[in-house]
Amino acid sequence: MAFIDSNVLPPPRHIAIIMDGNGRWAKKRGLPRTAGHAAGAESFRRIANYCRTLGVEYLTVYAFSTENWRRSQEEVAGIMKLLHRYLLEALADMEKNRVRFRFFGDLSRLSPELRQLCLDAESRSEEYDVQVNFCLNYGGRDEIVRAAKAFSQDVADGKRRPGELSEALFSQYLYSADVPDPELIIRPSGEKRTSNFLLWQSAYSEYVFMNVLWPDFTPKDLDQAIEEYHRRNRRFGGT
Ligand code: IPE
Ligand code: IPE
Ligand code: MG
């Protein structure tokens, strides 16, 4: 199902997506917001598969932010239920397709069952190569504060010296330890903001904002984003 010729336009090694617009998609159809989240989960499955056929090595998706708890209890409960169901299915696919799953975020606030599902998926897929990083109860600021705390604890325990800290070492304390920074970050739904996503890792990422709602996002939209990425002139502060 590959539309783009990945020999001509090689995909970035690491693509990150803010899966936004589920609620508006549902509203347009007179459906409850949860129906939008279910359609968004389908979209994730489709796009994750497409990324695999393109040869994308890392796909990071923003599924639930540290701020999303502010939504109604009903919506949060609906999202958690869906996550449980879709993760179970995704994990079966994971084994079949040898996809490695990692979870970025504070899992301690999830139900014990959902948390266990995440931990099992991580350990069961450790040896696989293509990697999906699933951001769940994730916040970029929270991630940085946690990393700072973990480093200070290592200093207090005598395992590290303060002067040792470098950008590379700090990165190792983030959820994304050992994952290269995303070259491309896509935000569908028309919003043009980061909403606390990958604040550290996105220092030199190319952002592509698109006017499509996440449940409507197709492989063709991904092709378009990759084409747009190839049109950018990445300078990294040089000339
Ligand atoms: C993204 O879609 C999913 C989550 C944040 C959990 P939204 O639910 O934010 O959809 P909109 O932005 O309201 O349309
Ligand atoms: C960002 O979308 C979080 C996820 C897609 C999981 P939001 O819908 O929560 O972001 P805001 O509220 O529009 O900034
Ligand atoms: Mg939104």
Side-chain angles (χ1 to χ4, degrees), residues 55-196:
V56 174
E57 290 173 59
Y58 301 89
L59 171 66
T60 302
V61 290
Y62 204 6
F64 194 87
S65 75
T66 46
E67 287 73 35
N68 286 147
W69 299 102
R70 290 181 190 152
R71 298 183 178 201
S72 74
Q73 216 194 342
E74 190 194 347
E75 181 172 353
V76 170
I79 292 174
M80 292 299 154
K81 221 168 103 187
L82 272 170
L83 276 170
H84 201 268
R85 205 175 78 213
Y86 275 87
L87 277 175
L88 270 177
E89 290 172 17
L91 299 182
D93 285 353
M94 168 193 95
E95 303 276 13
K96 200 173 75 206
N97 301 326
R98 300 184 58 82
V99 173
R100 179 173 183 191
F101 254 77
R102 256 170 79 176
F103 291 86
F104 291 1
D106 174 13
L107 302 184
S108 72
R109 206 169 156 187
L110 307 180
S111 72
E113 297 78 30
L114 185 54
R115 186 168 59 242
Q116 199 51 50
L117 193 64
C118 297
L119 297 175
D120 287 349
E122 279 190 341
S123 60
R124 263 165 47 203
S125 64
E126 233 167 25
E127 304 294 313
Y128 299 162
D129 346 285
V130 184
Q131 186 168 319
V132 169
N133 304 309
F134 204 86
C135 300
L136 202 47
N137 192 18
Y138 172 89
R141 287 185 171 179
D142 182 59
E143 179 184 33
I144 291 169
V145 169
R146 274 162 195 281
K149 278 187 187 159
F151 178 75
S152 339
Q153 190 60 54
D154 279 354
V155 170
D157 294 344
K159 292 185 203 150
R160 294 275 180 203
R161 285 173 294 101
E164 251 184 284
L165 192 59
S166 62
E167 292 183 10
L169 181 58
F170 192 72
S171 298
Q172 287 303 315
Y173 284 86
L174 298 171
Y175 292 125
S176 57
D178 298 325
V179 175
D181 291 340
E183 291 93 341
L184 169 62
I185 300 182
I186 303 169
R187 182 164 194 163
S189 93
E191 309 296 355
K192 296 185 177 63
R193 52 177 170 263
T194 70
S195 301
N196 205 9

